[in-house]
Amino acid sequence: FLRLLEDARVIAFEQWFGQDRSLLKEGVLVARHEIEYLAPLDFRHAPIRVGMWVTNISGASFDLAYELRDPEDVGATVYARAETTLVAYDFAAVSPRRLRPDERAVLKALAGDPVPFRGRARTS
């Protein structure tokens, strides 16, 4: 599942931030993963749909949410929900860096609801 999330994230970042200036090329680290497994996903060659949205943005980090399901079966089985905390990082300075305004704007455009993890207290 982590590999599916990583592959989807790499593709999305190039689409969202552009291939010439992808957040991946400039520096980003994974700080945290949380995955809730909801249904078995047997090995197969058929594609899986990974929906992604941003749930939180702070000075140097953001949380990216995921929902994995069959591409043609939008209302049915959800195999997993997940969330990753990512930190913008300057590899030359060997330290986190603040998100730039253009990066923040892209992320804000992708903002959505918190991941509906089971058993987690809701705050409204």
Side-chain angles (χ1 to χ4, degrees), residues 54-71:
V54 175
T55 60
N56 184 51
I57 305 169
S58 64
S61 67
F62 61 97
D63 294 336
L64 188 60
Y66 314 81
E67 193 168 76
L68 288 79
R69 63 174 69 229
D70 288 317

Side-chain angles (χ1 to χ4, degrees), residues 52-118:
M52 286 184 287
W53 65 98
V54 175
T55 60
N56 184 51
I57 305 169
S58 64
S61 67
F62 61 97
D63 294 336
L64 188 60
Y66 314 81
E67 193 168 76
L68 288 79
R69 63 174 69 229
D70 288 317
E72 70 283 348
D73 203 3
V74 175
T77 305
V78 175
Y79 296 104
R81 290 188 180 102
E83 189 172 61
T84 302
T85 299
L86 297 145
V87 178
Y89 198 79
D90 182 336
F91 289 114
V94 192
S95 67
R97 65 169 178 83
R98 297 195 59 81
L99 290 165
R100 291 189 315 268
D102 61 313
E103 293 168 332
R104 191 173 294 281
V106 169
L107 295 170
K108 281 184 181 178
L110 300 164
D113 293 331
V115 179
F117 288 121
R118 295 178 297 186

